Amino acid sequence: MIIDTVTLKDLDEIYNLERRSFKKDSFSKELILNLIIKNTCFFKLIDDESSNSIIGFIIIIQDREERVNLINFLIKKGERKRGYGSFLLRHTLKKVKTIDKIKTIVLNVNSKNKAAISLYQKFDFRIAQRIENYYRDKQSAYLMILDI
Ligand SMILES: CC(C)(COP(=O)(O)OP(=O)(O)OC[C@H]1O[C@@H](n2cnc3c(N)ncnc32)[C@H](O)[C@@H]1OP(=O)(O)O)[C@@H](O)C(=O)NCCC(=O)NCCS
């Protein structure tokens, strides 16, 4: 397993994974394109360099001087519950810790998304707030925070 930075060549594959997982709540292709161009912390998990088949990805943006926001994270269906999500998140947190001044990592997660919430809690994220009507279909979200 290899973790690498996402490039423009990955755009279609990332977008297809995104649509399959998040359906109407998925990021648009334009947004993903912009995140790649802007040199965001945008990592992919691949089998090996020769196949470049993407198993999952994670996106983190710096939205305040002292804070980053984990805005997207997924592991492909059929590859979940094998430790890949933890592997990718652990790598990303290590990178974030090397960025100057960053004190916290925040994220929003659907309050019904037990898999993700449990994974984040394993990494010591805590639920800081419940946000009603956060998603298009009016479902609520949790704001989760990790101090680093
Ligand atoms: C959330 C997600 C990225 C986790 O990836 P993963 O590769 O399955 O995670 P791991 O195999 O590393 O699991 C780590 C921990 O997460 C939790 N977890 C993962 N899947 C779970 C499930 N179906 N039910 C409950 N807990 C689960 C467990 O605590 C697990 O630890 P354990 O194996 O010791 O029980 C993956 O489920 C996913 O892509 N979901 C769809 C997209 C999504 O919801 N992204 C998060 C948006 S905020």
Side-chain angles (χ1 to χ4, degrees), residues 19-36:
R19 293 282 307 187
R20 255 176 257 144
S21 267
F22 294 114
K23 314 257 161 41
K24 56 185 177 356
D25 280 314
S26 58
F27 281 15
S28 69
K29 208 170 193 176
E30 290 70 26
L31 176 55
I32 297 171
L33 172 68
N34 275 318
L35 289 163
I36 297 173

Side-chain angles (χ1 to χ4, degrees), residues 70-81:
L70 196 171
I71 59 169
N72 207 328
F73 176 33
L74 81 81
I75 297 295
K76 195 177 174 174
K77 282 180 185 159
E79 300 282 2
R80 294 178 188 163
K81 291 229 71 182

Side-chain angles (χ1 to χ4, degrees), residues 73-75 80-83 85-86 113 115 118-120 122:
F73 176 33
L74 81 81
I75 297 295
R80 294 178 188 163
K81 291 229 71 182
R82 295 178 180 174
S86 305
N113 191 346
S118 149
L119 170 57
Y120 296 135
K122 280 202 165 161

Side-chain angles (χ1 to χ4, degrees), residues 4-146:
D4 206 351
T5 297
V6 168
T7 70
L8 280 178
K9 274 188 255 163
D10 301 314
L11 178 61
D12 287 341
E13 203 176 341
I14 295 274
Y15 180 63
N16 289 337
L17 289 174
E18 174 75 12
R19 293 282 307 187
R20 255 176 257 144
S21 267
F22 294 114
K23 314 257 161 41
K24 56 185 177 356
D25 280 314
S26 58
F27 281 15
S28 69
K29 208 170 193 176
E30 290 70 26
L31 176 55
I32 297 171
L33 172 68
N34 275 318
L35 289 163
I36 297 173
I37 293 171
K38 281 186 184 142
N39 225 356
T40 319
C41 243
F42 194 161
F43 299 121
K44 62 182 175 183
L45 179 69
I46 53 175
D47 256 346
D48 63 66
E49 264 162 311
S50 54
S51 83
N52 194 31
S53 165
I54 300 175
I55 290 162
F57 64 87
I58 190 163
I59 311 174
I60 286 199
I61 58 166
Q62 186 168 352
D63 61 353
R64 292 189 194 165
E65 201 183 345
E66 297 184 342
R67 184 177 98 166
V68 291
N69 195 326
L70 196 171
I71 59 169
N72 207 328
F73 176 33
L74 81 81
I75 297 295
K76 195 177 174 174
K77 282 180 185 159
E79 300 282 2
R80 294 178 188 163
K81 291 229 71 182
R82 295 178 180 174
Y84 296 145
S86 305
F87 181 59
L88 188 53
L89 184 58
R90 193 172 305 115
H91 169 90
T92 306
L93 293 179
K94 260 192 216 159
K95 291 275 176 196
V96 167
K97 284 175 186 168
T98 68
I99 309 174
D100 242 10
K101 292 186 186 163
I102 300 301
K103 289 194 178 135
T104 53
I105 304 176
V106 298
L107 61 88
N108 292 108
V109 57
N110 190 311
S111 57
K112 291 193 173 141
N113 191 346
K114 291 202 178 106
I117 293 166
S118 149
L119 170 57
Y120 296 135
Q121 283 174 331
K122 280 202 165 161
F123 280 83
D124 295 330
F125 281 85
R126 62 189 156 82
I127 295 174
Q129 193 189 331
R130 184 185 171 99
I131 310 165
E132 303 298 339
N133 300 323
Y134 182 81
Y135 295 98
R136 238 174 258 260
D137 57 2
K138 304 267 189 267
Q139 292 199 45
S140 57
Y142 288 135
L143 168 70
M144 297 189 75
I145 299 182
L146 174 67

